[in-house]
Amino acid sequence: MSQLQSQVRRVLLIAYYFPPIAATGGMRPLNFCRQLPSYGWAPQVLATDHESVLPPHAMDRKLLDRVPFDVGVIRVPHPNPMGRLLGFRDRLKQLVTQGRNSSPAQGVGDSVRPPTSVEGSASSIRAYFRFLTEILLEFPDPQCHWIRPAVRACVNIPVEERPNVIWATGGPWTSLLVGKQLAEKFNVPFIADFRDPWVGGFEFFSSKTLHRKAQGLERCVCAAAARVILNTEELRLRFCAVYPEWQHKFVTITNGYAEELRAVSSSSGNAGTFTRAAGGHVSTLELCHFGTVYGNRSPLPLFQAIQELLSEGMVQASRLRLKFVGAWDVHDPVCMQLAKVLEERGILRLVPPVSHQECLQEMARSNVLLILQPDYPLQVPAKIYEYIVAGRPLLVIGGEGATANLVQRHLLGRCCQNTVQEIKRTLVSILSSESSLQAPTPADTEQFSYRALTGRLAELLDRVYEEQQSIGSRA
Protein backbone atom coordinates (compact mmCIF):
# COMPACT_ATOMS: atom_id res chain seq x y z
CA MET A 1 0.00 0.00 0.00
CA SER A 2 1.36 3.43 -0.95
CA GLN A 3 1.90 6.23 1.55
CA LEU A 4 -1.14 7.99 0.16
CA GLN A 5 -3.27 4.86 0.63
CA SER A 6 -2.06 4.37 4.21
CA GLN A 7 -4.11 7.42 5.25
CA VAL A 8 -7.79 6.89 4.60
CA ARG A 9 -9.53 9.84 3.00
CA ARG A 10 -13.21 10.45 2.40
CA VAL A 11 -14.99 10.67 -0.93
CA LEU A 12 -18.66 11.53 -1.39
CA LEU A 13 -20.21 9.62 -4.31
CA ILE A 14 -23.25 11.47 -5.64
CA ALA A 15 -25.38 8.95 -7.51
CA TYR A 16 -29.07 9.67 -7.98
CA TYR A 17 -29.60 5.95 -8.71
CA PHE A 18 -28.27 3.58 -6.06
CA PRO A 19 -29.42 0.23 -4.63
CA PRO A 20 -32.01 -0.90 -3.77
CA ILE A 21 -33.12 1.03 -6.86
CA ALA A 22 -32.59 -1.54 -9.62
CA ALA A 23 -31.27 0.89 -12.26
CA THR A 24 -28.35 0.24 -14.56
CA GLY A 25 -26.94 3.66 -13.61
CA GLY A 26 -26.61 2.52 -10.00
CA MET A 27 -24.20 -0.33 -10.73
CA ARG A 28 -21.19 1.87 -11.49
CA PRO A 29 -21.22 3.79 -8.17
CA LEU A 30 -22.09 0.58 -6.28
CA ASN A 31 -19.06 -1.27 -7.61
CA PHE A 32 -16.75 1.70 -7.10
CA CYS A 33 -17.78 2.12 -3.45
CA ARG A 34 -17.20 -1.61 -2.83
CA GLN A 35 -13.59 -1.42 -4.02
CA LEU A 36 -12.48 2.07 -2.93
CA PRO A 37 -11.65 1.17 0.71
CA SER A 38 -8.90 -1.18 -0.48
CA TYR A 39 -7.28 1.82 -2.17
CA GLY A 40 -7.36 4.04 0.91
CA TRP A 41 -10.63 5.88 0.26
CA ALA A 42 -13.69 5.72 2.51
CA PRO A 43 -16.82 6.31 0.40
CA GLN A 44 -20.14 7.82 1.41
CA VAL A 45 -23.09 7.92 -1.00
CA LEU A 46 -25.73 10.57 -1.65
CA ALA A 47 -28.75 9.19 -3.53
CA THR A 48 -32.49 9.55 -3.82
CA ASP A 49 -34.98 7.07 -2.36
CA HIS A 50 -37.14 4.49 -4.10
CA GLU A 51 -40.39 6.39 -3.56
CA SER A 52 -39.07 9.53 -5.29
CA VAL A 53 -36.98 8.06 -8.10
CA LEU A 54 -37.75 9.22 -11.64
CA PRO A 55 -38.61 7.46 -13.79
CA PRO A 56 -40.05 4.80 -11.46
CA HIS A 57 -37.80 1.75 -11.08
CA ALA A 58 -38.16 -1.66 -9.54
CA MET A 59 -36.55 -2.23 -6.15
CA ASP A 60 -34.14 -5.14 -5.62
CA ARG A 61 -33.32 -5.58 -1.94
CA LYS A 62 -30.75 -8.26 -2.79
CA LEU A 63 -28.59 -5.47 -4.20
CA LEU A 64 -28.36 -4.04 -0.68
CA ASP A 65 -26.36 -7.12 0.31
CA ARG A 66 -23.62 -5.87 -2.02
CA VAL A 67 -23.34 -2.48 -0.30
CA PRO A 68 -20.53 -2.64 2.31
CA PHE A 69 -21.88 -2.29 5.86
CA ASP A 70 -19.54 0.61 6.62
CA VAL A 71 -20.62 2.69 3.61
CA GLY A 72 -23.08 5.37 4.73
CA VAL A 73 -25.87 6.16 2.29
CA ILE A 74 -27.74 9.47 2.58
CA ARG A 75 -31.11 8.95 0.89
CA VAL A 76 -32.86 12.18 0.01
CA PRO A 77 -36.44 12.26 -1.32
CA HIS A 78 -37.66 15.03 -3.57
CA PRO A 79 -40.95 16.41 -4.89
CA ASN A 80 -42.35 15.56 -8.31
CA PRO A 81 -44.52 18.50 -9.41
CA MET A 82 -44.45 17.33 -13.02
CA GLY A 83 -45.91 14.00 -11.99
CA ARG A 84 -48.69 15.72 -10.07
CA LEU A 85 -49.48 17.96 -13.04
CA LEU A 86 -49.60 14.99 -15.40
CA GLY A 87 -51.92 13.19 -13.02
CA PHE A 88 -54.20 16.25 -12.88
CA ARG A 89 -54.09 16.51 -16.68
CA ASP A 90 -55.08 12.87 -17.09
CA ARG A 91 -57.99 13.26 -14.68
CA LEU A 92 -59.11 16.41 -16.51
CA LYS A 93 -58.94 14.65 -19.88
CA GLN A 94 -61.03 11.81 -18.50
CA LEU A 95 -63.72 14.25 -17.31
CA VAL A 96 -63.73 16.09 -20.65
CA THR A 97 -63.99 12.80 -22.57
CA GLN A 98 -66.90 11.69 -20.42
CA GLY A 99 -68.63 15.04 -21.04
CA ARG A 100 -68.19 14.72 -24.80
CA ASN A 101 -69.52 11.19 -24.82
CA SER A 102 -72.66 12.29 -22.99
CA SER A 103 -73.36 15.28 -25.30
CA PRO A 104 -75.69 14.90 -28.34
CA ALA A 105 -73.96 13.68 -31.49
CA GLN A 106 -73.70 16.06 -34.43
CA GLY A 107 -76.46 15.45 -36.99
CA VAL A 108 -75.88 14.80 -40.65
CA GLY A 109 -77.36 18.13 -41.57
CA ASP A 110 -75.47 20.12 -38.96
CA SER A 111 -73.03 22.61 -40.34
CA VAL A 112 -69.33 22.13 -39.72
CA ARG A 113 -67.85 25.15 -37.99
CA PRO A 114 -64.76 26.41 -39.82
CA PRO A 115 -61.57 26.85 -37.76
CA THR A 116 -61.20 30.26 -36.17
CA SER A 117 -58.08 32.37 -35.80
CA VAL A 118 -58.03 31.40 -32.13
CA GLU A 119 -57.88 27.73 -33.07
CA GLY A 120 -55.20 28.51 -35.63
CA SER A 121 -52.98 29.93 -32.88
CA ALA A 122 -53.55 26.98 -30.54
CA SER A 123 -50.35 25.23 -31.60
CA SER A 124 -48.22 28.26 -30.77
CA ILE A 125 -49.91 28.55 -27.37
CA ARG A 126 -49.22 24.85 -26.69
CA ALA A 127 -45.59 25.33 -27.71
CA TYR A 128 -45.27 28.27 -25.31
CA PHE A 129 -46.73 26.32 -22.42
CA ARG A 130 -44.50 23.37 -23.28
CA PHE A 131 -41.49 25.68 -23.04
CA LEU A 132 -42.65 27.00 -19.66
CA THR A 133 -43.23 23.46 -18.41
CA GLU A 134 -39.74 22.37 -19.42
CA ILE A 135 -37.90 25.39 -18.06
CA LEU A 136 -39.76 25.32 -14.73
CA LEU A 137 -40.24 21.60 -14.13
CA GLU A 138 -37.94 19.53 -16.38
CA PHE A 139 -34.71 21.43 -16.89
CA PRO A 140 -32.03 20.23 -17.09
CA ASP A 141 -33.88 16.95 -16.52
CA PRO A 142 -37.02 15.67 -14.76
CA GLN A 143 -34.95 15.02 -11.59
CA CYS A 144 -34.11 18.74 -11.18
CA HIS A 145 -36.20 19.04 -8.00
CA TRP A 146 -33.65 16.87 -6.21
CA ILE A 147 -30.99 19.62 -6.31
CA ARG A 148 -32.08 21.74 -3.36
CA PRO A 149 -33.01 18.92 -0.94
CA ALA A 150 -29.82 17.00 -1.84
CA VAL A 151 -27.60 20.02 -1.17
CA ARG A 152 -29.47 20.87 2.06
CA ALA A 153 -29.03 17.29 3.31
CA CYS A 154 -25.23 17.63 3.16
CA VAL A 155 -24.33 21.22 4.00
CA ASN A 156 -24.45 20.57 7.75
CA ILE A 157 -22.09 17.59 7.69
CA PRO A 158 -19.57 18.14 10.55
CA VAL A 159 -16.24 19.48 9.39
CA GLU A 160 -14.37 16.37 10.57
CA GLU A 161 -16.69 14.16 8.48
CA ARG A 162 -16.71 16.23 5.30
CA PRO A 163 -15.35 14.65 2.10
CA ASN A 164 -11.90 15.35 0.76
CA VAL A 165 -13.16 14.88 -2.81
CA ILE A 166 -16.62 14.78 -4.41
CA TRP A 167 -17.40 12.44 -7.32
CA ALA A 168 -20.77 12.83 -9.07
CA THR A 169 -22.15 10.66 -11.88
CA GLY A 170 -24.75 11.57 -14.49
CA GLY A 171 -27.29 11.26 -15.90
CA PRO A 172 -29.33 12.58 -14.50
CA TRP A 173 -27.31 15.74 -14.97
CA THR A 174 -28.89 17.06 -11.80
CA SER A 175 -26.36 14.87 -9.93
CA LEU A 176 -23.47 16.78 -11.48
CA LEU A 177 -25.00 20.11 -10.47
CA VAL A 178 -25.41 18.84 -6.89
CA GLY A 179 -21.76 17.75 -6.89
CA LYS A 180 -20.59 21.11 -8.22
CA GLN A 181 -22.51 23.05 -5.55
CA LEU A 182 -21.34 20.87 -2.66
CA ALA A 183 -17.72 20.99 -3.82
CA GLU A 184 -17.91 24.80 -3.83
CA LYS A 185 -19.45 24.86 -0.34
CA PHE A 186 -16.85 22.46 1.09
CA ASN A 187 -13.96 23.88 -1.00
CA VAL A 188 -12.89 20.42 -2.16
CA PRO A 189 -12.10 19.04 -5.63
CA PHE A 190 -14.99 17.87 -7.80
CA ILE A 191 -14.87 15.03 -10.32
CA ALA A 192 -17.69 14.82 -12.90
CA ASP A 193 -18.48 11.36 -14.27
CA PHE A 194 -20.39 11.19 -17.58
CA ARG A 195 -22.02 7.82 -18.27
CA ASP A 196 -23.64 9.22 -21.44
CA PRO A 197 -23.44 12.33 -23.60
CA TRP A 198 -25.31 15.26 -22.04
CA VAL A 199 -25.76 17.72 -24.89
CA GLY A 200 -26.60 15.65 -27.92
CA GLY A 201 -29.14 17.76 -29.78
CA PHE A 202 -31.92 20.24 -29.09
CA GLU A 203 -34.48 17.56 -29.97
CA PHE A 204 -34.44 16.72 -26.26
CA PHE A 205 -36.09 20.08 -25.61
CA SER A 206 -38.81 22.11 -27.26
CA SER A 207 -36.52 24.99 -28.23
CA LYS A 208 -32.97 25.87 -29.16
CA THR A 209 -32.95 28.23 -26.19
CA LEU A 210 -33.09 25.29 -23.76
CA HIS A 211 -30.47 23.47 -25.78
CA ARG A 212 -28.13 26.45 -25.41
CA LYS A 213 -28.85 26.59 -21.69
CA ALA A 214 -27.95 22.90 -21.40
CA GLN A 215 -24.71 23.57 -23.28
CA GLY A 216 -23.97 26.35 -20.83
CA LEU A 217 -24.52 24.08 -17.83
CA GLU A 218 -22.31 21.37 -19.31
CA ARG A 219 -19.57 23.96 -19.86
CA CYS A 220 -19.93 25.19 -16.25
CA VAL A 221 -19.60 21.65 -14.93
CA CYS A 222 -16.46 21.02 -17.00
CA ALA A 223 -14.97 24.34 -15.91
CA ALA A 224 -15.56 23.61 -12.22
CA ALA A 225 -14.41 19.99 -12.28
CA ALA A 226 -10.84 19.06 -11.42
CA ARG A 227 -11.28 16.07 -13.73
CA VAL A 228 -14.02 14.86 -16.07
CA ILE A 229 -14.45 11.11 -16.51
CA LEU A 230 -16.04 9.76 -19.70
CA ASN A 231 -17.06 6.11 -19.92
CA THR A 232 -15.97 5.60 -23.53
CA GLU A 233 -12.89 6.80 -25.39
CA GLU A 234 -15.14 8.15 -28.15
CA LEU A 235 -16.98 10.35 -25.67
CA ARG A 236 -13.65 11.62 -24.29
CA LEU A 237 -12.54 12.60 -27.79
CA ARG A 238 -15.85 14.40 -28.33
CA PHE A 239 -15.30 16.44 -25.16
CA CYS A 240 -11.72 17.21 -26.22
CA ALA A 241 -13.05 18.57 -29.52
CA VAL A 242 -15.80 20.66 -27.89
CA TYR A 243 -13.66 21.95 -24.99
CA PRO A 244 -10.05 21.96 -26.25
CA GLU A 245 -8.96 24.27 -23.43
CA TRP A 246 -9.64 21.48 -20.89
CA GLN A 247 -8.24 18.46 -22.71
CA HIS A 248 -6.00 17.72 -19.73
CA LYS A 249 -9.08 17.16 -17.56
CA PHE A 250 -10.73 14.46 -19.66
CA VAL A 251 -10.09 10.83 -18.70
CA THR A 252 -11.66 7.57 -19.87
CA ILE A 253 -12.80 5.03 -17.28
CA THR A 254 -15.20 2.53 -18.82
CA ASN A 255 -17.97 0.60 -17.16
CA GLY A 256 -17.06 -2.92 -16.09
CA TYR A 257 -18.09 -6.09 -14.32
CA ALA A 258 -18.14 -7.08 -10.66
CA GLU A 259 -15.57 -9.69 -9.62
CA GLU A 260 -18.21 -12.17 -8.45
CA LEU A 261 -19.53 -12.41 -12.01
CA ARG A 262 -16.29 -14.06 -13.06
CA ALA A 263 -16.88 -16.80 -10.51
CA VAL A 264 -20.37 -17.46 -11.92
CA SER A 265 -19.04 -17.66 -15.47
CA SER A 266 -16.13 -19.90 -14.48
CA SER A 267 -18.38 -22.34 -12.65
CA SER A 268 -20.60 -22.61 -15.71
CA GLY A 269 -17.67 -23.49 -17.92
CA ASN A 270 -17.17 -22.39 -21.51
CA ALA A 271 -19.26 -25.15 -22.97
CA GLY A 272 -20.26 -23.03 -25.93
CA THR A 273 -17.28 -23.71 -28.16
CA PHE A 274 -17.97 -24.24 -31.84
CA THR A 275 -18.67 -27.74 -33.06
CA ARG A 276 -16.95 -28.36 -36.36
CA ALA A 277 -17.61 -30.88 -39.07
CA ALA A 278 -14.98 -32.58 -41.21
CA GLY A 279 -12.89 -29.99 -43.00
CA GLY A 280 -13.04 -27.55 -40.11
CA HIS A 281 -16.38 -25.97 -40.95
CA VAL A 282 -18.63 -24.82 -38.15
CA SER A 283 -21.48 -27.35 -38.12
CA THR A 284 -23.90 -25.21 -36.07
CA LEU A 285 -23.67 -21.53 -35.17
CA GLU A 286 -25.92 -20.23 -32.40
CA LEU A 287 -26.13 -16.50 -31.79
CA CYS A 288 -27.44 -15.66 -28.30
CA HIS A 289 -28.81 -12.26 -27.33
CA PHE A 290 -29.55 -11.34 -23.70
CA GLY A 291 -31.62 -8.36 -22.61
CA THR A 292 -34.56 -6.38 -23.92
CA VAL A 293 -34.99 -5.99 -27.68
CA TYR A 294 -36.57 -2.62 -28.40
CA GLY A 295 -36.46 0.58 -30.43
CA ASN A 296 -33.76 0.85 -33.05
CA ARG A 297 -32.00 -2.20 -31.60
CA SER A 298 -34.09 -4.18 -34.05
CA PRO A 299 -33.15 -7.68 -35.29
CA LEU A 300 -34.94 -7.06 -38.61
CA PRO A 301 -31.78 -6.81 -40.80
CA LEU A 302 -30.46 -10.00 -39.14
CA PHE A 303 -33.73 -11.84 -39.76
CA GLN A 304 -33.81 -10.65 -43.37
CA ALA A 305 -30.22 -11.77 -43.92
CA ILE A 306 -30.93 -15.24 -42.57
CA GLN A 307 -34.13 -15.54 -44.62
CA GLU A 308 -32.24 -14.63 -47.79
CA LEU A 309 -29.40 -17.09 -47.02
CA LEU A 310 -31.95 -19.85 -46.59
CA SER A 311 -33.88 -18.89 -49.75
CA GLU A 312 -30.69 -18.75 -51.81
CA GLY A 313 -29.53 -22.11 -50.49
CA MET A 314 -26.32 -20.65 -49.11
CA VAL A 315 -26.96 -21.96 -45.60
CA GLN A 316 -28.89 -24.96 -44.34
CA ALA A 317 -31.47 -24.31 -41.63
CA SER A 318 -29.81 -26.90 -39.40
CA ARG A 319 -26.60 -24.84 -39.23
CA LEU A 320 -28.03 -21.62 -37.79
CA ARG A 321 -29.69 -20.95 -34.45
CA LEU A 322 -30.85 -17.70 -32.81
CA LYS A 323 -31.77 -17.35 -29.14
CA PHE A 324 -33.16 -14.15 -27.61
CA VAL A 325 -33.41 -14.22 -23.81
CA GLY A 326 -35.33 -11.32 -22.27
CA ALA A 327 -38.19 -8.95 -22.95
CA TRP A 328 -39.33 -8.75 -26.57
CA ASP A 329 -40.61 -5.21 -27.23
CA VAL A 330 -40.86 -5.34 -31.03
CA HIS A 331 -43.88 -3.91 -32.84
CA ASP A 332 -42.70 -3.84 -36.46
CA PRO A 333 -45.11 -6.17 -38.37
CA VAL A 334 -42.43 -7.14 -40.91
CA CYS A 335 -40.01 -8.11 -38.14
CA MET A 336 -42.72 -10.02 -36.28
CA GLN A 337 -43.70 -11.95 -39.40
CA LEU A 338 -40.09 -12.93 -40.08
CA ALA A 339 -39.68 -13.96 -36.45
CA LYS A 340 -42.71 -16.24 -36.78
CA VAL A 341 -41.28 -17.84 -39.93
CA LEU A 342 -37.88 -18.44 -38.31
CA GLU A 343 -39.53 -19.88 -35.20
CA GLU A 344 -41.54 -22.31 -37.32
CA ARG A 345 -38.35 -23.45 -39.04
CA GLY A 346 -36.69 -24.14 -35.68
CA ILE A 347 -34.07 -21.42 -36.10
CA LEU A 348 -35.32 -18.79 -33.65
CA ARG A 349 -36.15 -19.22 -29.96
CA LEU A 350 -37.65 -16.42 -27.87
CA VAL A 351 -37.03 -17.06 -24.16
CA PRO A 352 -38.76 -14.97 -21.45
CA PRO A 353 -36.59 -13.06 -18.94
CA VAL A 354 -34.69 -15.22 -16.44
CA SER A 355 -32.96 -14.40 -13.15
CA HIS A 356 -29.69 -12.50 -13.26
CA GLN A 357 -27.76 -15.53 -12.00
CA GLU A 358 -29.28 -17.82 -14.61
CA CYS A 359 -28.67 -15.21 -17.29
CA LEU A 360 -24.93 -15.12 -16.49
CA GLN A 361 -24.73 -18.91 -16.54
CA GLU A 362 -26.45 -19.04 -19.92
CA MET A 363 -24.05 -16.43 -21.30
CA ALA A 364 -21.04 -18.54 -20.28
CA ARG A 365 -22.52 -21.57 -22.06
CA SER A 366 -23.35 -19.68 -25.24
CA ASN A 367 -21.82 -20.21 -28.66
CA VAL A 368 -21.54 -16.55 -29.72
CA LEU A 369 -22.96 -13.56 -27.83
CA LEU A 370 -24.92 -11.19 -30.05
CA ILE A 371 -25.08 -7.39 -29.66
CA LEU A 372 -27.45 -5.17 -31.64
CA GLN A 373 -26.00 -1.66 -31.41
CA PRO A 374 -26.71 0.60 -34.40
CA ASP A 375 -26.66 4.41 -34.25
CA TYR A 376 -24.94 4.90 -30.88
CA PRO A 377 -21.54 6.33 -31.86
CA LEU A 378 -20.48 7.41 -28.35
CA GLN A 379 -22.08 4.79 -26.10
CA VAL A 380 -21.47 1.18 -25.07
CA PRO A 381 -24.36 -0.83 -23.57
CA ALA A 382 -23.76 -1.90 -19.97
CA LYS A 383 -24.70 -5.47 -20.92
CA ILE A 384 -21.50 -5.83 -22.94
CA TYR A 385 -19.39 -5.99 -19.78
CA GLU A 386 -21.33 -9.00 -18.55
CA TYR A 387 -20.80 -10.48 -22.00
CA ILE A 388 -17.08 -9.85 -21.62
CA VAL A 389 -16.78 -11.65 -18.29
CA ALA A 390 -18.64 -14.64 -19.76
CA GLY A 391 -15.53 -15.28 -21.84
CA ARG A 392 -17.35 -15.98 -25.10
CA PRO A 393 -16.75 -14.38 -28.52
CA LEU A 394 -18.93 -11.39 -29.39
CA LEU A 395 -20.65 -10.53 -32.66
CA VAL A 396 -21.67 -6.87 -32.90
CA ILE A 397 -24.20 -5.94 -35.58
CA GLY A 398 -23.55 -2.25 -35.98
CA GLY A 399 -19.99 -1.91 -37.20
CA GLU A 400 -19.30 1.71 -36.26
CA GLY A 401 -19.05 3.59 -33.01
CA ALA A 402 -17.87 3.04 -29.46
CA THR A 403 -19.15 -0.54 -29.10
CA ALA A 404 -17.53 -1.80 -32.28
CA ASN A 405 -14.30 0.04 -31.46
CA LEU A 406 -14.19 -1.54 -28.00
CA VAL A 407 -14.68 -5.04 -29.40
CA GLN A 408 -12.04 -4.58 -32.08
CA ARG A 409 -9.56 -2.78 -29.83
CA HIS A 410 -9.55 -5.55 -27.21
CA LEU A 411 -10.01 -8.57 -29.51
CA LEU A 412 -13.39 -9.48 -28.05
CA GLY A 413 -15.01 -10.74 -31.25
CA ARG A 414 -16.17 -9.46 -34.62
CA CYS A 415 -18.28 -6.56 -35.91
CA CYS A 416 -20.27 -6.02 -39.08
CA GLN A 417 -22.39 -3.22 -40.52
CA ASN A 418 -26.11 -3.32 -39.80
CA THR A 419 -27.04 -4.11 -43.42
CA VAL A 420 -28.51 -7.28 -44.85
CA GLN A 421 -25.63 -7.86 -47.27
CA GLU A 422 -22.89 -7.35 -44.65
CA ILE A 423 -24.64 -9.65 -42.19
CA LYS A 424 -24.97 -12.32 -44.87
CA ARG A 425 -21.27 -12.11 -45.73
CA THR A 426 -20.29 -12.27 -42.06
CA LEU A 427 -22.42 -15.33 -41.26
CA VAL A 428 -21.19 -17.22 -44.35
CA SER A 429 -17.59 -16.34 -43.44
CA ILE A 430 -17.97 -17.65 -39.89
CA LEU A 431 -19.75 -20.84 -40.98
CA SER A 432 -17.11 -21.60 -43.60
CA SER A 433 -14.25 -20.98 -41.14
CA GLU A 434 -12.85 -18.24 -43.33
CA SER A 435 -13.03 -16.06 -40.24
CA SER A 436 -12.66 -17.73 -36.86
CA LEU A 437 -14.30 -16.28 -33.79
CA GLN A 438 -12.06 -16.77 -30.78
CA ALA A 439 -13.08 -16.26 -27.19
CA PRO A 440 -11.24 -13.31 -25.56
CA THR A 441 -8.27 -14.08 -23.34
CA PRO A 442 -8.26 -13.22 -19.60
CA ALA A 443 -5.74 -10.46 -20.35
CA ASP A 444 -8.31 -8.88 -22.67
CA THR A 445 -11.13 -9.05 -20.12
CA GLU A 446 -9.51 -8.49 -16.71
CA GLN A 447 -8.94 -4.79 -17.41
CA PHE A 448 -12.72 -4.35 -17.27
CA SER A 449 -13.10 -5.71 -13.75
CA TYR A 450 -14.25 -3.08 -11.27
CA ARG A 451 -11.24 -3.96 -9.17
CA ALA A 452 -8.95 -2.69 -11.94
CA LEU A 453 -11.21 0.24 -12.87
CA THR A 454 -11.47 1.40 -9.26
CA GLY A 455 -7.69 1.42 -9.09
CA ARG A 456 -7.72 3.98 -11.90
CA LEU A 457 -10.39 6.02 -10.12
CA ALA A 458 -8.40 5.91 -6.86
CA GLU A 459 -5.30 7.21 -8.67
CA LEU A 460 -7.41 10.08 -9.97
CA LEU A 461 -8.75 10.83 -6.49
CA ASP A 462 -5.20 10.79 -5.10
CA ARG A 463 -4.06 13.18 -7.81
CA VAL A 464 -6.78 15.81 -7.41
CA TYR A 465 -6.46 15.61 -3.61
CA GLU A 466 -2.70 16.21 -3.83
CA GLU A 467 -3.24 19.11 -6.23
CA GLN A 468 -5.71 20.68 -3.81
CA GLN A 469 -3.30 20.24 -0.89
CA SER A 470 -0.50 21.79 -2.93
CA ILE A 471 -2.64 24.83 -3.74
CA GLY A 472 -3.58 25.17 -0.06
CA SER A 473 0.02 25.01 1.10
CA ARG A 474 1.09 27.71 -1.39
CA ALA A 475 -1.75 29.95 -0.22
Side-chain angles (χ1 to χ4, degrees):
M1 182 177 290
S2 69
Q3 183 177 0
L4 274 172
Q5 293 172 354
S6 65
Q7 298 177 348
V8 175
R9 291 171 299 283
R10 293 176 298 278
V11 57
L12 177 62
L13 304 180
I14 300 177
Y16 181 83
Y17 302 114
F18 196 76
I21 297 169
T24 301
M27 297 301 102
R28 183 172 172 91
L30 169 64
N31 284 294
F32 280 148
C33 80
R34 296 179 67 202
Q35 299 290 338
L36 278 169
S38 63
Y39 291 98
W41 285 90
Q44 187 177 34
V45 180
L46 174 64
T48 194
D49 64 0
H50 180 252
E51 288 73 23
S52 301
V53 68
L54 292 173
H57 278 75
M59 182 169 58
D60 185 353
R61 293 214 169 268
K62 290 184 178 179
L63 288 173
L64 288 175
D65 297 336
R66 298 175 61 188
V67 180
F69 73 93
D70 55 348
V71 172
V73 182
I74 305 170
R75 302 189 188 277
V76 181
H78 65 87
N80 181 14
M82 189 63 186
R84 291 198 298 271
L85 281 176
L86 291 175
F88 174 76
R89 181 200 66 182
D90 293 341
R91 289 192 298 273
L92 186 61
K93 279 185 176 180
Q94 186 178 14
L95 291 173
V96 171
T97 301
Q98 290 171 353
R100 285 176 178 170
N101 291 339
S102 62
S103 63
Q106 185 177 23
V108 175
D110 294 342
S111 61
V112 178
R113 181 170 56 86
T116 66
S117 59
V118 174
E119 290 171 334
S121 63
S123 61
S124 60
I125 294 174
R126 284 195 297 269
Y128 175 71
F129 276 105
R130 178 57 184 162
F131 174 81
L132 285 181
T133 299
E134 286 183 337
I135 194 67
L136 296 175
L137 302 176
E138 296 183 295
F139 185 84
D141 46 46
Q143 299 83 6
C144 59
H145 298 280
W146 188 60
I147 296 177
R148 287 186 179 179
V151 171
R152 282 199 304 265
C154 294
V155 290
N156 293 323
I157 294 176
V159 174
E160 64 275 10
E161 297 178 10
R162 288 184 177 180
N164 302 108
V165 179
I166 289 176
W167 174 94
T169 184
W173 313 117
T174 282
S175 296
L176 302 185
L177 300 180
V178 172
K180 176 178 175 292
Q181 288 190 33
L182 288 176
E184 290 169 352
K185 287 180 180 294
F186 296 154
N187 191 29
V188 297
F190 163 53
I191 296 177
D193 180 75
F194 285 76
R195 301 192 315 276
D196 286 304
W198 182 347
V199 180
F202 62 85
E203 68 274 6
F204 294 107
F205 302 106
S206 62
S207 73
K208 293 183 179 180
T209 299
L210 293 180
H211 177 64
R212 287 193 294 269
K213 285 179 68 68
Q215 286 179 316
L217 286 179
E218 182 181 86
R219 174 172 284 277
C220 286
V221 165
C222 291
R227 294 293 188 280
V228 177
I229 299 174
L230 298 314
N231 72 345
T232 70
E233 178 63 11
E234 289 71 18
L235 190 54
R236 187 191 71 83
L237 293 174
R238 167 69 68 85
F239 270 64
C240 287
V242 175
Y243 307 114
E245 66 272 34
W246 297 319
Q247 289 190 29
H248 64 284
K249 293 185 178 184
F250 303 135
V251 180
T252 301
I253 299 181
T254 68
N255 287 325
Y257 62 83
E259 284 295 328
E260 59 266 29
L261 300 188
R262 183 179 292 279
V264 174
S265 298
S266 300
S267 66
S268 301
N270 291 335
T273 54
F274 294 127
T275 54
R276 299 182 181 276
H281 297 301
V282 177
S283 61
T284 303
L285 173 66
E286 183 179 48
L287 306 178
C288 301
H289 182 279
F290 295 83
T292 302
V293 179
Y294 66 97
N296 65 347
R297 289 191 173 100
S298 170
L300 178 59
L302 172 62
F303 289 175
Q304 290 173 328
I306 292 175
Q307 181 70 4
E308 289 187 14
L309 288 175
L310 296 172
S311 300
E312 295 164 2
M314 298 181 67
V315 172
Q316 296 177 351
S318 60
R319 299 189 65 198
L320 266 178
R321 294 289 181 269
L322 294 176
K323 183 169 72 172
F324 285 78
V325 180
W328 182 261
D329 189 17
V330 177
H331 306 286
D332 180 356
V334 176
C335 188
M336 292 300 294
Q337 179 59 32
L338 276 174
K340 182 179 178 182
V341 171
L342 294 176
E343 279 187 294
E344 290 172 349
R345 299 196 66 171
I347 294 173
L348 173 65
R349 273 199 304 149
L350 300 180
V351 180
V354 299
S355 70
H356 189 233
Q357 184 87 352
E358 187 178 351
C359 187
L360 295 170
Q361 292 169 344
E362 285 294 317
M363 287 180 190
R365 288 192 289 262
S366 295
N367 202 197
V368 175
L369 294 169
L370 174 66
I371 300 168
L372 304 174
Q373 185 73 354
D375 305 324
Y376 291 94
L378 304 176
Q379 296 158 273
V380 173
K383 181 66 65 176
I384 197 172
Y385 298 99
E386 293 185 350
Y387 276 15
I388 287 172
V389 76
R392 307 307 307 133
L394 277 57
L395 175 61
V396 177
I397 295 181
E400 295 179 351
T403 301
N405 293 343
L406 182 80
V407 169
Q408 293 167 341
R409 188 182 302 128
H410 299 285
L411 306 176
L412 304 175
R414 181 166 175 176
C415 309
C416 76
Q417 297 291 330
N418 189 38
T419 66
V420 173
Q421 291 304 315
E422 283 300 317
I423 296 171
K424 287 170 64 177
R425 276 194 283 269
T426 299
L427 294 178
V428 169
S429 175
I430 295 171
L431 285 164
S432 64
S433 292
E434 293 174 8
S435 172
S436 61
L437 269 174
Q438 300 293 332
T441 66
D444 292 321
T445 61
E446 285 173 1
Q447 62 191 301
F448 298 107
S449 75
Y450 267 108
R451 172 70 182 171
L453 295 171
T454 306
R456 296 193 58 199
L457 175 60
E459 290 177 2
L460 208 59
L461 295 172
D462 289 341
R463 197 170 302 126
V464 299
Y465 176 73
E466 282 187 307
E467 290 171 357
Q468 179 81 352
Q469 294 298 105
S470 176
I471 292 173
S473 62
R474 288 199 301 270

